[in-house]
Amino acid sequence: MVGLLGLDADELAALLGAELPRYRARQLCYAIYRQRVADLEAVTPLPLELRRKLAATYRIGLPEIERHYESADGTRRYLLRLEDQRTVEAVFMPGAAHATLCISTQVGCPAGCRFCMTGAMGLERNLTPGEIVGQVIVLMREHNLKPDEQRVNLVMMGQGEPLLNLPNVLKATRLLTDPEGVGLSLRRMTLSTVGIIPKIHELAQADIRPKLAISLHATTDEVRRRLVPVARRYPLEQLLEACRRYPLRSWERLTFEYVLIRDVNDTEADARRLVKLIGQLRATVNLIPLNPGPGIPYDPPTPERVLAFQAIVQRSLPCFIRKPRGQDIYAACGQLRRMVLAGDNQAGGAISTLASLSVNRTMPE
């Protein structure tokens, strides 16, 4: 059976056929994306005969929740199974004034960053637009989130390098921000990249695109190449030139993410170099103290180093320290990885998925 999730109103209209009025496609689109129905039989605005006809050939195609793990701080990590039996992770983080969803754009990740557990997985495949949107719908259903009534932030910072799946990411963005569909605010969507320069230029041309976050993590090419293998192809000066040319919207800043690693990139000299590199850009810096995990050969910085680094940077740029969320369920930045954990009761069983993402509690709302 063919899944409908990921099709827009025009594609649904073509599927229904010219003999049906256009508003039937809009009703179907609204039911899938705004009402989040899981079964075509539940699309009650459509005539019963049409629903049955559709259900015989098509399905909605939402991913299934295989497991979820809840942190003491309220963060919830989901292992979602796709129709080909591969799995991805998504994370829900509650806040006093908003909720944040972190979703994946690929199964695994090809970037191979040395401090990131996800990077050790390698890439299995890209996610389709429907699989990207499906993660959002599942989490919104589970937590009864209503974008019309509350603030919902969405970050594409889970498994994968979004710019290496850009056509599907952009189509998913259009579906997620359609006011007749999921209805998320474009201003609350962020895409994070390690710096694929040709794709940054391509993203800049999109009429509907998330905000851009650059995972920088170093202030010299030598250190960045060691931490982020893709930097061998895209040196710092070329990446920063792409950032200078990036067409920011009037309400937008670039975000630079910087994982602080003890005795690697956390010195005051690094902080001063960072200011020199990006101080003239309309940008914000998020500092992320390394979240350790199995197989990561680095250590977190001391709190004193983190504060000293921030103090230097914030003289020139807004600079915030991310507070990790969900560390007790492996839900902090750079730890997202499927692993076999024999007897790991806290993670929920022998086969567990380690997910990670941090939310910046010190950032302004």
Side-chain angles (χ1 to χ4, degrees), residues 69-223:
Y69 311 106
E70 188 154 359
S71 168
D73 65 18
T75 299
R76 187 174 289 192
R77 173 170 57 90
Y78 289 89
L79 177 63
L80 302 176
R81 185 162 296 281
L82 308 173
E83 293 193 338
D84 65 357
Q85 302 309 304
R86 289 182 170 89
T87 56
V88 293
E89 289 181 308
V91 181
F92 164 79
M93 291 160 287
H98 65 275
T100 299
L101 310 179
C102 175
I103 62 170
S104 299
T105 54
Q106 296 177 307
V107 183
C109 183
C113 298
R114 304 305 185 203
F115 53 85
C116 177
M117 292 172 63
T118 318
M121 294 175 62
L123 177 67
E124 295 185 29
R125 68 169 174 84
N126 285 333
L127 295 182
T128 67
E131 289 169 336
I132 296 170
V133 174
Q135 296 170 71
V136 178
I137 291 178
V138 167
L139 267 60
M140 293 179 73
R141 280 167 54 99
E142 284 294 300
H143 298 278
N144 195 30
L145 300 179
K146 300 176 181 178
D148 292 338
E149 301 175 9
Q150 62 198 117
R151 294 164 60 182
V152 179
N153 298 332
L154 180 67
V155 292
M156 297 181 184
M157 299 181 184
Q159 291 181 4
E161 164 53 63
L163 291 189
L164 293 179
N165 188 20
L166 188 55
N168 290 343
V169 165
L170 289 177
K171 183 174 183 183
T173 299
R174 293 192 296 271
L175 292 168
L176 290 166
T177 57
D178 185 346
E180 298 299 318
V182 179
L184 296 179
S185 169
L186 198 59
R187 297 188 180 204
R188 299 195 172 280
M189 296 180 63
T190 302
L191 174 158
S192 177
T193 176
V194 293
I196 314 298
I197 294 174
K199 294 296 182 177
I200 291 175
H201 296 321
E202 188 176 335
L203 176 68
Q205 302 306 310
D207 54 345
I208 298 176
R209 53 181 166 87
K211 294 184 295 183
L212 178 62
I214 304 290
S215 294
L216 199 63
H217 308 318
T219 59
T220 68
D221 279 316
E222 186 276 326
V223 174

Side-chain angles (χ1 to χ4, degrees), residues 265-334:
N265 65 356
D266 65 338
T267 67
E268 293 186 7
D270 283 301
R272 288 190 289 270
R273 278 194 297 269
L274 181 60
V275 169
K276 186 175 180 180
L277 288 172
I278 67 172
Q280 301 305 310
L281 296 172
R282 198 164 85 218
T284 295
V285 177
N286 283 343
L287 300 178
I288 310 168
L290 176 73
N291 292 297
I296 296 178
Y298 299 110
D299 297 311
T302 64
E304 293 77 17
R305 281 269 186 101
V306 175
L307 292 173
F309 198 106
Q310 181 193 34
I312 292 170
V313 176
Q314 68 183 4
R315 294 172 195 158
S316 302
L317 291 163
C319 181
F320 305 99
I321 301 169
R322 284 192 185 180
K323 179 180 178 181
R325 297 288 302 272
Q327 283 188 325
D328 55 331
I329 56 167
Y330 291 96
C333 189

